[in-house]
Every structure is written in C-alpha cells, then in structure tokens.
Amino acid sequence: GESVGLHLPTLSVQEGDNSIINCAYSNSASDYFIWYKQESGKGPQFIIDIRSNMDKRQGQRVTVLLNKTVKHLSLQIAATQPGDSAVYFCAENNDMRFGAGTRLTVKP
Amino acid sequence: EAGVVQSPRYKIIEKKQPVAFWCNPISGHNTLYWYRQNLGQGPELLIRYENEEAVDDSQLPKDRFSAERLKGVDSTLKIQPAELGDSAVYLCASSSGGAQETQYFGPGTRLLVL
C-alpha cells in the first residue's frame, strides 16, 4: 500500500554541523508535504511545508527539498543546535500519513 | 493566541473501562483531527472533522471508538471498553481549513490501560 517512510531511525550530529533527514513517499498523487518536530511529551510542531509545484523551500535554518521524480524529500537543518534534538516526521497531507520518524541527537 | 488544548494529559485505567478525551481546537479552526501515536511511531489518523461533520473516519475502530464534535468546536473521543492495546498517546490537531493547511497539534493525552 501507499506509505510515507523515513530512511534512518536515528541520526547523531555534532553541534554546529548540518543535519539532513530524509523521507520517501510512494503516493504519486501526494502534493503537499510537511515536516514536524516532536519533543518528548509534546505534540508535533510544524517546521516547514512544501507543495509539489516547488523543489525547494527555505525557512530559518531549515530547508526542505522535494524530488518528485524519485518521490523523496529531505529536511536540512543548518548549524544544528542542542535544541534541535527531537524526533522529526515527514507527513503528506492527502492521506494524512506520517512516517515513523527520525530521532535527531545533537552532541555538544 | 492559545494553542490546541487537550485534557486530561494523562489517564490510567483498567481494561474494559471506558475513557474519554477532550479537545478544544484553535479558535476559528474548522478542521479537527484525532490521531493515535504508539510508542516509537508516527501519528495515525483516526478521524477528521470539517466543522461538525466527520469527513474521514475510515481508520476509526468503530466497535469501541466513537467521536463527536456537536457544535463544530470542541470534540471528544471515547473508547468503550478500553483494551490493553489502546495504550498510546491520543493527539488532537486543528487547521484553518481543509487538508492542505498546516495542522497545529495539542500536547496529547497519554493513555495507559492496565
């Protein structure tokens, strides 16, 4: 069936480095994608979104890239900080599907 | 502006007991979602409301789960009777309109069924 999934369950980076979190999707009809950050004991928090008519979108320290050809999107976090430690989910909003998440750990 | 409010934050019950969760969405948000999040997994949609109408309840286990949003604002999600496998975090989210708008999540209700 259709699914949204993440390549790696965990990612550990050094403070100040850039982080890249990947996500694959299989529903070719998906046209809106969102990245969420979830800290322990809290609900998911919106980070950035992208619509399928775009390849790239930038926010503050975050960039999302969308490759529709291979059905892949990524979240890039520049100058990763300890406060970025959390689980990151990609989601597509047509079927309201979330991936399993990637746990990002930032080492000081 | 207040975010999505959920209560209770934590609930411990014995199996076969009923339980209810309450959600107050962001003011003006017409779309309300209930999700279930198991440990180590992403949220799974249970039901989506547009105003007071349930427009997607295909993933709601209707034998024991029910939800309502009578006046198109607050919503309750009920489980009766609860089973051990229902232990999870139940998240409520709202958006200003439709599936293509950003969802804002509440803190969730952590349910433990013993």
Side-chain angles (χ1 to χ4, degrees), chain A residues 22-36:
Chain A
N22 296 303
C23 182
Y25 66 96
S26 56
N27 186 348
S28 57
S30 298
D31 57 5
Y32 180 56
F33 304 89
I34 307 171
W35 281 100
Y36 289 94

Side-chain angles (χ1 to χ4, degrees), chain A residues 13 38 48 70 73 84 89:
Chain A
V13 301
Q38 187 173 27
I48 192 167
V70 296
L73 67 159
D84 295 328
F89 295 98

Side-chain angles (χ1 to χ4, degrees), chain B residues 23-66:
Chain B
C23 174
N24 178 239
I26 292 173
S27 178
H29 280 192
N30 298 325
T31 308
L32 184 145
Y33 311 78
W34 282 104
Y35 289 86
R36 176 170 57 192
Q37 186 174 26
N38 292 311
L39 187 64
Q41 298 182 19
E44 297 175 327
L45 180 69
L46 293 174
I47 189 168
R48 175 167 68 98
Y49 282 94
E50 295 288 347
N51 298 304
E52 64 272 13
E53 181 182 359
V55 297
D56 183 357
D57 63 355
S58 58
Q59 301 302 312
L60 189 72
K62 298 180 182 64
D63 57 336
R64 298 183 299 107
F65 286 66
S66 64

Side-chain angles (χ1 to χ4, degrees), chain A residues 3-79:
Chain A
S3 66
V4 175
L6 292 163
H7 292 306
L8 295 173
T10 62
L11 177 64
S12 182
V13 301
Q14 205 70 34
E15 180 179 0
D17 288 351
N18 296 332
S19 302
I20 299 176
I21 300 172
N22 296 303
C23 182
Y25 66 96
S26 56
N27 186 348
S28 57
S30 298
D31 57 5
Y32 180 56
F33 304 89
I34 307 171
W35 281 100
Y36 289 94
K37 172 186 180 183
Q38 187 173 27
E39 297 174 285
S40 181
K42 298 182 180 180
Q45 177 186 7
F46 171 86
I47 301 174
I48 192 167
D49 60 0
I50 189 167
R51 300 188 189 276
S52 60
N53 61 351
M54 303 172 68
D55 297 323
K56 178 180 180 179
R57 191 168 188 211
Q58 288 185 290
Q60 187 177 13
R61 285 200 305 118
V62 295
T63 301
V64 56
L65 300 177
L66 175 62
N67 185 331
K68 295 180 288 293
T69 302
V70 296
K71 298 177 187 172
H72 179 272
L73 67 159
S74 65
L75 176 70
Q76 300 178 5
I77 305 174

